[in-house]
Amino acid sequence: MKFVITNIDDLVYKLIPHFDKYTLITSKYLNYIDFKFAVMLLKDKEHFKYEGIQKLKLIKSTMNKARSFEDKYNFCISNKVNLDPCWLQGFIDGEGSFQCEIGLDKRRNSSKSVINFSLQIKQNSHDVAVLNAIKEYFNSGYLKPKYNTENLEVTMTSSRKTTVIWIRNYKVICQFFDQYPLYTLKWLDYLDWKRLINLKESRAYFNRQGLILMKYIKANMNANRKKY
């Protein structure tokens, strides 16, 4: 499903004032600035002129995927990211996932179960400064893969095009989302994730039935969750 706004008056008098007031934080802000300029050209009927059409074509040719990695990276790295909790709640609603790892302790060659929890947020590496800001906000987490995120050349040549922040401090995450609930189906994943945490803390996995229950809850989270 898509939500679409195409009416010029709605774009000029509703959408643009909203994003002027609530500024985008990622490199998508650069696309917004170009988009805003293009909308104003349409508002002023510039698209009825040859020069106006050429301007619009030029704007489009450097937006979104056509924008260089360097421009996106430099924008994010050069701007002080001040995270608003409501922005962060919405961002994680769209980009984050709640993970639970259930396995055996291979390091000790033991038959005991090891259970770890994490919130993971993935972004294209040119926006890695935003992930670093999230790390600072929660005062927790680490980035994968590990590299010098403050170096453009290193970031561009990293082994992966995307970077993931892993936050394993589930207590600080639960405290945040209990105060700022999610709006999408991901809220159900969070509730199951929190239920798994409670089961672990009560040592339910020490018995067979408890471990089976935890594995069942995990198996029905995220992409495997029924959409109805």
Side-chain angles (χ1 to χ4, degrees), residues 202-213:
S202 66
R203 301 192 175 187
Y205 64 98
F206 277 14
N207 64 74
R208 184 171 179 272
Q209 287 185 332
L211 186 59
I212 290 175
L213 174 61

Side-chain angles (χ1 to χ4, degrees), residues 88 91-92 94-97 119-123 131 134-135 138 142-144 163-167 173 177:
L88 185 55
F91 185 72
I92 295 175
E95 305 292 338
S97 65
L119 168 66
Q120 299 176 22
I121 310 167
K122 181 186 293 186
Q123 281 291 284
L131 296 182
I134 294 174
K135 180 181 175 182
F138 288 116
Y142 60 94
L143 302 184
K144 292 182 66 176
T163 302
V164 184
I165 182 172
W166 292 54
I167 303 175
I173 297 301
F177 285 111

Side-chain angles (χ1 to χ4, degrees), residues 196 213-225:
L196 286 167
L213 174 61
M214 294 184 74
K215 289 182 177 180
Y216 175 80
I217 295 172
K218 176 191 173 181
N220 289 279
M221 287 176 59
N222 299 316
N224 296 322
R225 180 177 298 283

Side-chain angles (χ1 to χ4, degrees), residues 6 16 21 25 29 32 36 46 65 74 95 114 147 153 158-159 161 163 172 174 184 221:
T6 56
I16 288 176
K21 182 177 181 180
I25 293 175
Y29 177 78
Y32 167 69
K36 179 180 176 180
E46 291 295 316
K65 292 182 179 180
N74 285 335
E95 305 292 338
V114 174
Y147 59 91
E153 187 66 26
S158 175
S159 59
K161 292 184 179 180
T163 302
V172 71
C174 289
T184 70
M221 287 176 59

Side-chain angles (χ1 to χ4, degrees), residues 45-50 52-53:
K45 310 296 184 183
E46 291 295 316
H47 58 298
F48 290 139
K49 305 174 185 177
Y50 175 79
I53 289 295

Side-chain angles (χ1 to χ4, degrees), residues 25-26 195:
I25 293 175
T26 69
R195 184 183 177 195

Side-chain angles (χ1 to χ4, degrees), residues 79-177:
N79 287 277
K80 176 63 177 177
V81 180
N82 295 312
L83 296 184
D84 177 90
C86 293
W87 179 92
L88 185 55
Q89 174 265 351
F91 185 72
I92 295 175
D93 213 338
E95 305 292 338
S97 65
F98 298 96
Q99 300 293 330
C100 173
E101 304 169 33
I102 302 177
L104 298 178
D105 190 348
K106 296 180 181 178
R107 292 175 299 177
R108 300 179 181 178
N109 194 25
S110 171
S111 60
K112 292 184 178 180
S113 296
V114 174
I115 303 174
N116 294 311
F117 301 94
S118 64
L119 168 66
Q120 299 176 22
I121 310 167
K122 181 186 293 186
Q123 281 291 284
N124 191 296
S125 295
H126 53 60
D127 282 4
V128 69
V130 177
L131 296 182
N132 276 322
I134 294 174
K135 180 181 175 182
E136 291 180 9
Y137 183 92
F138 288 116
N139 193 27
S140 181
Y142 60 94
L143 302 184
K144 292 182 66 176
K146 296 180 180 179
Y147 59 91
N148 181 6
T149 61
E150 296 183 359
N151 185 297
L152 171 61
E153 187 66 26
V154 171
T155 304
M156 289 182 66
T157 57
S158 175
S159 59
R160 300 179 188 174
K161 292 184 179 180
T162 58
T163 302
V164 184
I165 182 172
W166 292 54
I167 303 175
R168 295 190 180 276
N169 186 346
Y170 58 81
K171 291 184 178 180
V172 71
I173 297 301
C174 289
Q175 184 180 11
F176 178 83
F177 285 111

